[in-house]
Amino acid sequence: MDIKKLTVSSSPHLHSGDTVRQAMLLVLVALAPAALFAVYHFGWYVLAILLTGTISAVLAETALLRLMKKPLTIVLDGSAALTGLLLALNVPAGAPLWMVAIGAFMAIAIGKHVFGGLGYNPFNPALVGRAILVSSWPAHMTAWVGPGLISSATPLAMQRAGEAVPPYLDLFLGLKAGSLGEVSVFLLLLGGIFLICKKVIDWKIPGAYLATVALMTWVLPARGQVGFFAGDPLMHVLSGGLVLGAFFMATDWVTSPVTKLGRIVMGLGAGIITAVIRLYGGLPEGVTFAILIMNGLTPLIDRYTMGRRFGAR
Amino acid sequence: MAKTFIGGIHPPYRKEGLSALPIERMPAPKVVAIPVQQHVGKACLPLVKVGERVLMGQKIGDVDASIAAPVHSSVSGTVLSIEPRPHANGKMVNSIVILNDFLDEWHPSALPKPHLDKLSPEEIVALIREMGIVGMGGGGFPTHAKLKPFPSPPIDTVLLNGAECEPYLTNDHRLMVEAPEKIIYGLRCLMKAAGAGRGHIGVEENKPDAVLALKKVAALYSDITITSLAVKYPQGAELQLIRACLGKEVPPGKFPPHIGVVVNNVHTAEAIAQAFTTGMPSIERVITVAGGAVERPGNVLVRVGTTFAQVLEARGLKGEPYKLVSGGPMMGLAMYTGEVAVCKCTSGILALTYEETGAREAGPCVRCAKCVDSCPMFLQPTTIAHYAMKGRVDDAENIGALECRECGPCAYVCPAGIPLVQWIRLAKSDIYARQ
């Protein structure tokens, strides 16, 4: 017998076949129902926003990869498309397309490539893009509309102003004003559970996040209110970007902790910050900054939550 | 629910059909090359000279060291040469090359030993050494040295590993089905030698026929338990096996005797029984020959010293293998040549095609934490690998790099295709180099 050429490498000599691309595509699939609902709910213009965000991000990624002389095939991993879509899902339904394009470019350039590209960015790129847009064009980013692009306050703003909030079922199904991707809590939950079942994300981050916000908004009196255990946790969970953030942003692989306990801490910390901003802050909503702050703490969280090693007490 | 451990993976097992194939004996080849080192520890010195006639079962190499086991001739014939040959450990190892005369003439020392009831623990330990018994699951640690370890609490349990969690491999499975009496006899020898009151065999539940066969024999002994284990890799890793069967964890940096346990492979127990009841030392073993490039996969009883190429020739190859692996696909070693001899601790020969290995380019870590979730030692493989890449040796040691058993789930699941085990091995060797 004659064996001519053998490959020698370290074990294991098997691989699951899982790829980063596969996972990114699964997240895109999981987001699709909520994105399509936004088109149905707000109108066709939304489709233009979603496409602008996604395509701008992919173009930005391609241009930057070229500039940095990296293989252009990286763009096929789907991470840029996902960042672009998430960014687009984070703007109001009347957002100008040029702003969405700038946001997507910023997300990829400032959120990702200045740090070295996929895997090295400390902050969730889509949220970096959103934060830049919120601080650059606050009027556009808070011009909330309902169906038919008619001006309307978000449930959280209504609640702050002491107005009547839509019924829970409307909040759950998405019959309200808000950013494109956050409205249909029902479809986001479906997508999130799909990702948990597919083992793309761990239930610990969204679980801890939602539970913390619910608990705090129930127990603590908001600014100007008195008495404990009088809050409306269900309204808080069903409103704003909480469910979108908990399942699709706080769970971002690159920017969340790798340790098991760390993932609980991530959800817990984001939950505390979100609830504090919502109850006592100057803004009605706090998901973006809660997640970004926790992203910044992720290396520290990883370091102090290593946990027990096998055989140790 | 079947017992198991925390972490691990479910790779494709690829044992379909293979586990039903009875053990076939492969005729001894014309020439065997017997490495003087087939165990962990000190290499043996040849006891024979070139041109000398040797008999089957004759001790042809030994060394005066506590961690070593002698080697025996697997054929009768004439010593052609004593020269370095490629070894499964990747190095060149002195090997005794013997021209087979095909007479299979036994050496007079190869006589049945007294029944274990008539032997003292010390006599059993001495016989186990004299018969060249080493860990046959792949580790190759001299079995006698496991039985009288460094100062440790008394051994209360001898645990036999019948999990066979590595994909492809079915040699232990066949042995448990075909020779349960021998495995139980070997277990009883080990229990008596170690002074252990309990014997335990852990078998993954995908081998119900093996569990049944062992249970049938073990029913005669109240001190022996057969445990069905969940099918999960690495169920057969020593520490995970102990955790699953006995609910105990060995502290980091310690060995099983520290908690009163000795673990051996079922094949090792079978070899002990074989040696005691027939007088045949460890000169042959069952290996699984499999992989996409093998024409007739099977479970083959092979003489030690047969080369991989000879075995593959007997089973036929379809096309060129991409990788030739000694052992299982998760922890086995990739060979650079087929001229490597089967030794006592070779559990399988796998000729794998490119497609079935799923080989791929590595990308940057995306911190998905799948490696962390799969690690049965509760380590952070990606972080250790990161430290290894950056030369941060102390940091790697501080987060437990030395506790890694290199079992491979981390690299198996990594969506970025990072060879995590390779990086962790580098970290470990850097740490050892510094010590």
Side-chain angles (χ1 to χ4, degrees):
Chain A
M1 191 203 60
D2 187 27
I3 307 171
K4 290 195 190 73
K5 208 170 80 184
L6 287 170
T7 299
V8 179
S9 69
S10 174
S11 62
H13 310 289
L14 285 184
H15 191 275
S16 61
D18 290 348
T19 61
V20 173
R21 182 167 187 233
Q22 212 173 52
M24 296 294 170
L25 290 179
L26 284 174
V27 181
L28 286 170
V29 167
L31 275 173
L36 291 176
F37 176 82
V39 177
Y40 162 79
H41 182 57
F42 295 110
W44 287 106
Y45 178 66
V46 163
L47 192 60
I49 295 183
L50 297 178
L51 288 174
T52 303
T54 310
I55 293 169
S56 305
V58 170
L59 289 178
E61 172 106 336
T62 313
L64 289 162
L65 286 173
R66 180 151 213 164
L67 195 69
M68 275 169 278
K69 300 186 172 61
K70 289 188 181 177
L72 292 183
T73 46
I74 292 176
V75 80
L76 297 175
D77 70 19
S79 65
L82 178 59
T83 298
L85 180 64
L86 277 172
L87 185 270
L89 289 173
N90 268 291
V91 302
L97 296 182
W98 56 265
M99 186 188 78
V100 176
I102 291 176
F105 176 80
M106 286 300 185
I108 297 295
I110 309 289
K112 186 172 171 187
H113 278 280
V114 290
F115 297 105
L118 183 69
Y120 301 103
N121 50 298
F123 298 102
N124 185 317
L127 289 179
V128 169
R130 181 184 146 87
I132 290 173
L133 293 185
V134 168
S135 29
S136 306
W137 295 283
H140 282 308
M141 286 300 284
T142 50
W144 302 113
V145 292
L149 303 190
I150 294 158
S151 232
S152 161
T154 63
L156 286 173
M158 291 176 180
Q159 195 243 2
R160 279 213 162 189
E163 295 164 19
V165 175
Y168 291 134
L169 190 64
D170 286 7
L171 295 178
F172 181 65
L173 295 175
L175 308 175
K176 60 188 173 191
S179 72
L180 304 185
E182 73 184 29
V183 285
S184 180
V185 171
F186 169 60
L187 294 174
L188 288 171
L189 277 177
L190 278 190
I193 290 165
F194 169 72
L195 290 183
I196 292 171
C197 292
K198 285 280 179 188
K199 296 202 159 79
V200 176
I201 63 170
D202 187 351
W203 64 269
K204 293 189 193 77
I205 293 177
Y209 197 169
L210 297 181
T212 307
V213 170
L215 190 72
M216 287 183 67
T217 53
W218 174 49
V219 172
L220 299 174
R223 189 169 53 184
Q225 291 182 331
V226 284
F228 291 86
F229 299 99
D232 188 349
L234 197 53
M235 189 279 297
H236 273 285
V237 169
L238 297 176
S239 302
L242 182 58
V243 172
L244 177 65
F247 283 94
F248 294 92
M249 318 260 245
T251 53
D252 173 41
W253 281 354
V254 177
T255 56
S256 61
V258 296
T259 66
K260 289 177 195 171
L261 179 61
R263 288 171 233 160
I264 300 268
V265 174
M266 171 87 188
L268 197 74
I272 292 172
I273 299 169
T274 302
V276 166
I277 293 177
R278 283 186 179 187
L279 295 175
Y280 309 110
L283 300 167
E285 171 62 308
V287 171
T288 300
F289 290 102
I291 295 174
L292 285 173
I293 290 168
M294 293 314 289
N295 288 161
L297 291 175
T298 289
L300 275 181
I301 296 173
D302 271 339
R303 173 170 299 188
Y304 293 108
T305 54
M306 290 266 183
R308 182 182 82 92
R309 301 209 289 263
F310 185 92
R313 280 173 207 285
Chain B
M1 219 170 87
K3 293 180 174 181
T4 190
F5 62 99
I6 301 166
I9 51 168
H10 294 97
Y13 281 88
R14 300 187 179 149
K15 302 187 188 204
E16 305 78 19
L18 209 54
S19 58
L21 296 176
I23 298 167
E24 290 173 68
R25 174 178 283 280
M26 176 180 161
K30 192 153 177 48
V31 176
V32 292
I34 297 173
V36 294
Q37 176 142 36
Q38 302 181 38
H39 51 265
V40 173
K42 204 160 182 201
C44 294
L45 302 167
L47 301 175
V48 291
K49 292 194 174 60
V50 175
E52 194 177 324
R53 179 169 152 80
V54 293
L55 299 176
M56 196 159 150
Q58 179 181 342
K59 189 160 85 169
I60 54 174
D62 204 351
V63 66
D64 186 18
S66 57
I67 300 185
V71 294
H72 302 79
S73 178
S74 59
V75 295
S76 58
T78 317
V79 178
L80 285 177
S81 63
I82 300 175
E83 59 186 36
R85 289 273 179 114
H87 190 276
N89 67 11
K91 297 174 186 148
M92 298 294 280
V93 169
N94 219 14
S95 303
I96 298 166
V97 183
I98 301 164
L99 179 66
N100 188 359
D101 63 11
F102 293 103
L103 297 175
D104 280 359
E105 194 179 328
W106 281 99
H107 191 262
S109 67
L111 289 173
K113 312 301 174 223
H115 190 268
L116 83 100
D117 292 341
K118 299 199 175 72
L119 292 167
S120 72
E122 293 72 25
E123 285 170 323
I124 297 175
V125 173
L127 276 173
I128 285 175
R129 184 193 188 283
E130 200 50 31
M131 304 307 269
I133 309 290
V134 304
M136 295 173 85
F141 194 83
T143 304
H144 68 90
K146 269 190 182 181
L147 293 168
K148 40 168 194 181
F150 33 77
S152 71
I155 301 299
D156 55 60
T157 307
V158 173
L159 178 53
L160 287 192
N161 188 353
E164 201 167 53
C165 58
E166 278 268 11
Y168 295 89
L169 301 187
T170 53
N171 52 320
D172 287 347
H173 184 167
R174 287 315 304 174
L175 209 54
M176 289 187 279
V177 170
E178 296 182 32
E181 306 83 7
K182 284 183 184 163
I183 291 169
I184 300 284
Y185 189 80
L187 173 59
R188 291 174 59 223
C189 292
L190 286 163
M191 285 162 66
K192 183 158 184 188
R198 284 170 61 205
H200 218 107
I201 308 179
V203 185
E204 276 191 353
E205 62 186 353
N206 59 354
K207 307 180 236 311
D209 47 349
V211 174
L212 206 68
L214 288 171
K215 275 194 170 158
K216 220 161 136 187
V217 183
L220 301 170
Y221 308 98
S222 59
D223 48 0
I224 294 176
T225 317
I226 315 295
T227 305
S228 268
L229 304 169
V231 180
K232 188 164 72 165
Y233 181 86
Q235 187 66 77
E238 190 170 72
L239 302 181
Q240 279 61 40
L241 185 72
I242 296 173
R243 175 73 173 73
C245 291
L246 308 174
K248 292 196 258 189
E249 288 187 8
V250 179
K254 303 279 195 226
F255 296 95
H258 185 83
I259 56 165
V261 182
V262 167
V263 183
N264 283 284
N265 187 265
V266 286
H267 203 328
T268 313
E270 187 268 351
I272 292 170
Q274 191 78 1
F276 280 43
T277 56
T278 70
M280 184 185 83
S282 188
I283 57 167
E284 61 179 25
R285 67 157 298 146
V286 183
I287 60 175
T288 298
V289 187
V294 177
E295 205 156 24
R296 288 182 309 282
N299 303 297
V300 193
L301 183 61
V302 182
R303 303 273 178 103
V304 164
T306 310
T307 65
F308 282 26
Q310 287 164 339
V311 174
L312 288 174
E313 194 162 49
R315 307 307 298 186
L317 274 182
K318 16 178 206 188
E320 293 239 328
Y322 167 70
K323 268 188 181 175
L324 180 60
V325 174
S326 167
M330 293 302 294
M331 288 191 75
L333 294 163
M335 302 290 107
Y336 65 92
T337 168
E339 293 311 307
V340 167
V342 170
C343 61
K344 297 172 200 169
C345 52
T346 310
S347 51
I349 297 176
L350 306 179
L352 303 173
T353 62
Y354 180 80
E355 290 71 29
E356 66 189 318
T357 61
R360 52 187 298 198
E361 294 274 308
C365 173
V366 289
R367 297 173 40 85
C368 67
K370 285 183 189 294
C371 58
V372 178
D373 289 343
S374 72
C375 179
M377 298 304 291
F378 314 158
L379 300 173
Q380 262 85 55
T382 179
T383 315
I384 300 174
H386 174 76
Y387 289 152
M389 292 174 200
K390 302 289 176 201
R392 292 167 63 177
V393 182
D394 290 336
D395 288 330
E397 188 175 5
N398 286 339
I399 61 168
L402 293 181
E403 285 154 42
C404 170
R405 296 299 177 108
E406 303 172 12
C407 59
C410 51
Y412 173 84
V413 296
C414 179
I418 300 169
L420 288 158
V421 175
Q422 184 177 328
W423 284 112
I424 297 171
R425 282 191 175 127
L426 180 71
K428 287 168 77 172
S429 69
D430 283 351
I431 294 167
Y432 286 129
R434 178 171 285 200
Q435 281 170 354

